[in-house]
Amino acid sequence: MKKSIGAKTLVYPTPVFVVGTYDKDGKPNVMTAAWGGICCSKPPCVAVSLRKPRYSYENIIKRKAFTINIAPEKYLKESDYFGIASGRNKDKFAASGLTPVKSGVVDAPYIKEFPFALECNVLHTIEIGVHIQFIGEIVDIQADEEMLNDQGVPDIEKVKPILFAPEMQAYYGVGRFLGKAFSIGKDI
Amino acid sequence: MKKSIGAKTLVYPTPVFVVGTYDKDGKPNVMTAAWGGICCSKPPCVAVSLRKPRYSYENIIKRKAFTINIAPEKYLKESDYFGIASGRNKDKFAASGLTPVKSGVVDAPYIKEFPFALECNVLHTIEIGVHIQFIGEIVDIQADEEMLNDQGVPDIEKVKPILFAPEMQAYYGVGRFLGKAFSIGKDI
């Protein structure tokens, strides 16, 4: 039996995106965001929403670029910290011990130790409400070689991305393989 | 060592959203979409991107409403099927044996058997490229009572949502609890 539970920002799963930017002085910053996802296949685009007071918001407005670093289980603490602290008064790279790498194609840094990063230029900026949505065109992806499968794609079982459960305020890992997409439903 | 792997539409995890709509004749339809996510906290909004040729695209343009049904492991086959078949020439509810329920607050149906559904009115329509992004304001959520935790939130461990791994074209389940958000990173 269904019950009305009100207008919550709740979907499962939600990603844990660590957004990489440079500030006006060229200092690299990272912040964690869960409001986002792929939004177009051609051009390949990813969306991520930030509140205006966030330091990374200013950075993206000025630099018109960002990276999306996929947070792995191994760096759960760091990924959570990146969502708590502000780059306005903290050097989050220094505090976490992680390493910023300058992207060769966009004006933003990615995290050396994370499994892969999308390098994006801002294509659209949409004022929705308290969140502003940035739609970034994915120019390239930098991925750890040892995580690639036979098709040259980062293997989700090696990447071990973190999932976020909003409202529950909890992180989960990826579970077991369930089936092949565009295949398992063919016999209906 | 990082390697450039090209501009792929790849993030982990990606959700499995089953989008519920009515067509011009009032026939309920569902289609599966992975390009989307929460995009604003206030007003509470969710984004989902569809290609123009999809039958559901026309439906959303006409009705200005849709539901997002969270696909559970139990209905993996059905959820995959909803992404393969088209409502233009198939009655996907009849074929799958699932039940459409008319939303009381938006002009769209949700799936009775799925764990929970977001009821949305279209707030913005953004032409990005081959995909059009619909930003829907979440008016309410209908959730199975037996899946709610003590706080009245659907428990991710009971919901058992499906994750999609793009490029790998594979579905996965949710794994183990890793930690509390906005908490585990505090000691950095």
Side-chain angles (χ1 to χ4, degrees), chain B residues 34-109:
Chain B
W35 292 173
I38 296 291
C39 61
C40 187
S41 295
K42 197 180 282 187
C45 291
V46 64
V48 65
S49 293
L50 274 65
R51 289 172 189 258
K52 277 193 184 176
R54 299 300 300 244
Y55 196 56
S56 296
Y57 171 83
E58 292 172 37
N59 296 353
I60 297 176
I61 290 290
K62 284 198 180 99
R63 301 275 180 160
K64 311 249 177 266
F66 59 89
T67 63
I68 297 286
N69 301 266
I70 301 302
E73 284 189 23
K74 186 177 176 185
Y75 294 107
L76 178 68
K77 272 190 188 186
E78 290 79 357
S79 302
D80 190 53
Y81 165 75
F82 293 154
I84 297 171
S86 171
R88 212 179 295 281
N89 50 38
K90 288 276 182 194
D91 182 334
K92 295 195 236 183
F93 274 105
S96 65
L98 296 181
T99 317
V101 179
K102 190 175 168 51
S103 162
V105 292
V106 303
D107 189 14

Side-chain angles (χ1 to χ4, degrees), chain A residues 16-55:
Chain A
V16 177
F17 287 164
V18 177
V19 182
T21 55
Y22 284 121
D23 76 1
K24 59 186 187 309
D25 303 318
K27 188 185 84 172
N29 189 41
V30 270
M31 77 160 273
T32 305
W35 293 171
I38 295 291
C39 61
C40 187
S41 295
K42 198 181 282 184
C45 291
V46 64
V48 66
S49 293
L50 274 65
R51 290 171 189 258
K52 277 192 184 178
R54 298 303 298 245
Y55 196 54

Side-chain angles (χ1 to χ4, degrees), chain A residues 135-188:
Chain A
I135 294 179
E137 180 173 350
I138 305 161
V139 180
D140 203 349
I141 294 180
Q142 295 298 325
D144 283 342
E145 284 194 75
E146 64 271 27
M147 298 222 175
L148 303 181
N149 66 13
D150 296 345
Q151 284 75 48
V153 172
D155 188 320
I156 196 169
E157 297 184 30
K158 291 178 183 162
V159 169
K160 297 186 190 301
I162 304 166
L163 327 178
F164 175 56
E167 301 288 339
M168 292 179 69
Q169 309 285 57
Y171 296 120
Y172 283 83
V174 170
R176 66 190 177 92
F177 171 79
L178 299 177
K180 290 297 287 177
F182 312 111
S183 167
I184 196 170
K186 277 186 182 162
D187 53 345
I188 288 183

Side-chain angles (χ1 to χ4, degrees), chain A residues 23-100:
Chain A
D23 76 1
K24 59 186 187 309
D25 303 318
K27 188 185 84 172
N29 189 41
V30 270
M31 77 160 273
T32 305
W35 293 171
I38 295 291
C39 61
C40 187
S41 295
K42 198 181 282 184
C45 291
V46 64
V48 66
S49 293
L50 274 65
R51 290 171 189 258
K52 277 192 184 178
R54 298 303 298 245
Y55 196 54
S56 297
Y57 171 82
E58 291 172 36
N59 296 353
I60 297 177
I61 290 290
K62 284 197 180 101
R63 301 275 180 159
K64 312 249 177 264
F66 60 87
T67 63
I68 297 287
N69 300 266
I70 300 302
E73 284 189 23
K74 186 177 176 185
Y75 295 106
L76 178 69
K77 273 191 186 184
E78 291 80 358
S79 302
D80 190 51
Y81 165 75
F82 294 154
I84 297 171
S86 171
R88 212 179 296 280
N89 49 37
K90 287 277 181 194
D91 182 334
K92 295 195 235 182
F93 274 106
S96 65
L98 296 181
T99 317

Side-chain angles (χ1 to χ4, degrees), chain A residues 83-131:
Chain A
I84 297 171
S86 171
R88 212 179 296 280
N89 49 37
K90 287 277 181 194
D91 182 334
K92 295 195 235 182
F93 274 106
S96 65
L98 296 181
T99 317
V101 179
K102 189 174 166 53
S103 163
V105 292
V106 304
D107 189 13
Y110 60 85
I111 304 171
K112 185 184 171 191
E113 292 82 359
F114 273 33
F116 69 96
L118 285 63
E119 300 165 287
C120 308
N121 282 320
V122 175
L123 205 58
H124 298 285
T125 302
I126 298 130
E127 300 233 1
I128 304 173
V130 299
H131 281 89

